Amino acid sequence: MENIKNYINGELVEPLSKKYLDNYDPSKGKVYSYIPDSDEKDVELAYEAANKAFHKWSLTPKDKRSEYLLKIAALIEKNIDKLALAESIDNGKPLKLAKTIDIPRAASNFHFYGTGILHYAANAHSMEDNAINYTLRQPVGVAGCISPWNLPLYLFSWKIAPALAAGCTVVAKPSEVTPMTAYLLSEICIEAGLPPGVLNIVHGLGAKVGNAIVSHKNIPLISFTGGTSTGKQIAAIAAPMFKKLSLELGGKNPNIIFADCDYDKMLATTLLSSFANQGQICLCGSRIFVERKIYDKFKNDFVTKTKTLIVGNPLDEKTKVGAIVSKIHFEKILSYIELAKREGGKILCGGKPITVSGEFSEGYYIEPTIIEGLDYNCRTNQEEIFGPVVTITPFDTEEEVLRMANSTIYGLASVLWTQDLTRAHRIANTIHAGIVWINCWLLRDLRTPFGGVKASGVGREGGFEALDFFTEPKNVCIKL
Ligand code: NDP
């Protein structure tokens, strides 16, 4: 079985402790590789390498930095089959999804920031009394980047690419649950000739490696994507140290369906926004609100369609819903289904684990689950489940649905289905969310600001916002 290695100072190295953790294939519930159980000593080595590389990298011309990023993007594209297979095995997601979404998007992230940095310009402000201000944007220093398991390489590269493009060097930690594609990315960086120390990847537990990065006194910036409670812990450590912080956290997104929508398009997309990646996308619409006029029709059609989704072997082309990422998460999702029942919810379909035959019999599979009859204020409708579980709730008026939609602590994404553009604009204006999709879902333009409000996060990723985050503005005023 393969031992994953850390990537420090341009080399693949063992953790100093020589200790390893089990890495599971969730589709089989079996250990298939080992991951470094790194600690603060490995983080220190990574920091030293990143710090040593910072001066030269930050002064490397943008077009040269761009060349490295574009080379990495090209190598990701070249290795798409290998990376997609690794992502599917490590995470349990359908191979088809990894091949069409995760890995192409990881390549796009490097491509986007490899070209974006060439267009990144600072402002100048002239003053009437013969003076001019110009603003330098200088890379902040060694950036700490920490990412989750649901879209492993996709989200890891979404942080690393802008950080490197901006001239920062990086100490990064992928999720301990899904380390494999970050490891393969380190091999790609070596092949691309990325100078030693520019990117360092330290594998291991959040409480050890993640915490050591966040607490490190000389890492001035933390870019984190993960759960809201982890974000809270990170903010508590980083804020008194005056670190720059970007927090992309949890969600409990509303999907609001009006009777005048394009019904077929809505139904097909709602199936995806509910169950794609086993519902483990921070942007999934887990609370579905349906105008009462079409509630019964929607309920019947949605349940019928959901029952056709094939759950099982992620490597099978026909599979639409793969394995849940880990045993712990599998149990958490099932416990929420039990909670929903106790809260008075009626399970319309799903609701149980599935045993898939043969070598997958120990894997973590859950039927796509639809629940109705719950109060919008109950725990099932307020807490993030992050699995193939949605609730459906009827509504009569716009005011009522907005009250329900805005009732959670979260505010990441939202989806609206209506042909009435005036209403769509009106709701988009009032809904508590950083992202509003009207008559679509997961349609991403990488130039747009990405992030949430309330407990869904602080700051925005994407476009020039990310380059702003990884750089510090310095205003220079000259009297002419
Ligand atoms: P976690 O918060 O558990 O973990 C995220 C990352 O933080 C992992 O690498 C984890 O390591 C690490 N970590 C854990 N504890 C600490 C700590 N004390 N200090 C520093 N780092 C730590 O989230 P999940 O991995 O479970 O991901 C799911 C969550 O991510 C969901 O809430 C989801 O909504 C959110 N998410 C948000 C997105 C957004 O853009 N807003 C996008 C995607 C997901 P380890 O794996 O070892 O625990």
Side-chain angles (χ1 to χ4, degrees):
M1 269 193 274
E2 190 170 14
N3 276 4
I4 285 172
K5 294 204 171 64
N6 288 332
Y7 172 51
I8 298 177
N9 204 24
E11 289 178 2
L12 298 175
V13 293
E14 288 201 83
L16 290 170
S17 67
K18 307 273 190 278
K19 287 190 197 145
Y20 285 83
L21 303 160
D22 291 340
N23 187 30
Y24 281 81
D25 170 350
S27 74
K28 297 180 182 159
K30 297 223 158 57
V31 176
Y32 82 103
S33 60
Y34 298 107
I35 162 172
D37 183 8
S38 313
D39 58 30
E40 71 283 354
K41 296 194 189 77
D42 302 283
V43 170
E44 189 54 35
L45 276 188
Y47 165 73
E48 281 165 14
N51 189 41
K52 199 164 131 224
F54 176 69
H55 183 68
K56 197 162 171 206
W57 182 249
S58 64
L59 296 177
T60 299
K62 284 176 179 182
D63 51 354
K64 187 72 195 154
R65 292 204 300 265
S66 164
E67 271 174 31
Y68 284 115
L69 266 70
L70 296 182
K71 213 183 259 184
I72 293 170
L75 285 169
I76 292 175
E77 274 161 9
K78 190 174 151 202
N79 288 287
I80 185 166
D81 290 338
K82 181 178 172 186
L83 288 162
L85 182 62
E87 202 71 295
S88 174
I89 292 171
D90 215 23
N91 174 279
K93 68 177 66 209
L95 176 61
K96 204 168 168 189
L97 189 73
K99 210 165 166 175
T100 52
I101 305 279
D102 291 74
I103 307 306
R105 173 59 193 275
S108 296
N109 290 340
F110 279 102
H111 195 269
F112 180 79
Y113 281 107
T115 52
I117 191 62
L118 302 176
H119 305 270
Y120 186 53
N123 287 327
H125 301 90
S126 60
M127 297 170 78
E128 278 133 32
D129 53 348
N130 236 2
I132 189 159
N133 295 271
Y134 63 89
T135 310
L136 296 170
R137 299 247 28 149
Q138 298 175 314
V140 175
V142 176
C145 297
I146 301 174
S147 60
W149 48 255
N150 64 325
L151 302 166
L153 192 61
Y154 174 135
L155 290 174
F156 195 56
S157 53
W158 185 229
K159 299 183 176 306
I160 288 169
L164 298 181
C168 290
T169 53
V170 173
V171 177
K173 189 197 101 62
S175 170
E176 167 253 327
V177 183
T178 53
M180 190 54 91
T181 47
Y183 172 52
L184 297 178
L185 177 69
S186 34
E187 292 183 342
I188 283 176
C189 290
I190 292 170
E191 192 180 341
L194 192 70
V198 167
L199 171 63
N200 304 275
I201 301 175
V202 187
H203 295 273
L205 297 168
K208 277 157 90 171
V209 176
N211 186 54
I213 294 172
V214 173
S215 319
H216 198 288
K217 64 181 190 314
N218 293 321
I219 295 182
L221 173 153
I222 302 294
S223 173
F224 170 81
T225 299
T228 292
S229 60
T230 316
K232 213 182 258 184
Q233 289 174 39
I234 289 175
I237 296 169
M241 298 170 87
F242 305 109
K243 296 193 181 210
K244 262 188 125 172
L245 259 187
S246 164
L247 300 173
E248 297 292 339
L249 308 176
K252 187 76 179 173
N253 309 310
N255 177 4
I256 302 175
I257 301 167
F258 285 92
D260 69 348
C261 67
D262 177 338
Y263 189 83
D264 292 343
K265 200 165 137 204
M266 175 280 294
L267 190 63
T269 310
T270 295
L271 206 64
L272 288 175
S273 66
S274 302
F275 302 120
N277 206 39
Q278 299 70 251
Q280 303 165 141
I281 302 180
C282 53
L283 306 165
C284 278
S286 53
R287 293 179 298 145
I288 304 175
F289 298 106
V290 188
E291 195 170 358
R292 199 176 300 275
K293 280 185 245 174
I294 58 161
Y295 183 80
D296 286 336
K297 176 175 167 49
F298 171 79
K299 177 167 99 176
N300 291 335
D301 293 345
F302 187 42
V303 167
T304 306
K305 283 241 177 218
T306 299
K307 282 182 176 166
T308 66
L309 295 174
I310 295 174
V311 183
N313 173 9
L315 303 188
D316 190 327
E317 275 272 301
K318 292 191 287 299
T319 295
K320 293 281 187 244
V321 178
I324 302 300
V325 74
S326 67
K327 189 153 198 283
I328 290 180
H329 195 55
F330 169 80
E331 283 163 359
K332 177 189 155 186
I333 296 168
L334 291 175
S335 77
Y336 268 103
I337 296 173
E338 288 311 308
L339 172 71
K341 288 186 203 158
R342 288 200 303 278
E343 289 185 319
K346 181 175 169 202
I347 311 289
L348 297 175
C349 69
K352 293 190 292 300
I354 298 182
T355 304
V356 179
S357 59
E359 57 180 335
F360 304 101
S361 62
E362 306 284 310
Y364 318 130
Y365 299 92
I366 297 180
E367 294 171 327
T369 301
I370 305 172
I371 306 170
E372 76 166 351
L374 287 168
D375 189 89
Y376 77 94
N377 247 334
C378 70
R379 281 184 57 203
T380 310
N381 267 329
Q382 293 289 317
E383 296 176 16
E384 186 182 43
I385 300 174
F386 216 55
V389 180
V390 296
T391 62
I392 58 173
T393 308
F395 69 88
D396 293 298
T397 66
E398 207 176 296
E399 295 68 33
E400 181 192 14
V401 77
L402 262 173
R403 180 162 39 83
M404 295 194 286
N406 286 340
S407 66
T408 73
I409 59 166
Y410 298 107
L412 185 54
S414 55
V415 188
L416 302 179
W417 290 99
T418 176
Q419 300 283 58
D420 180 343
L421 262 188
T422 308
R423 169 160 64 196
H425 284 303
R426 196 166 52 231
I427 296 181
N429 205 27
T430 4
I431 202 154
H432 299 170
I435 299 156
V436 184
W437 275 298
I438 300 171
N439 300 329
C440 59
W441 177 70
L442 211 62
L443 190 54
R444 293 279 294 118
D445 179 330
L446 302 188
R447 293 169 299 179
T448 59
F450 179 90
V453 299
K454 303 199 287 188
S456 288
V458 176
R460 292 291 181 274
E461 295 186 320
F464 290 137
E465 308 246 359
L467 296 177
D468 284 348
F469 176 68
F470 288 106
T471 56
E472 196 75 82
K474 182 190 282 174
N475 194 66
V476 182
C477 178
I478 315 170
K479 179 82 178 152
L480 301 174

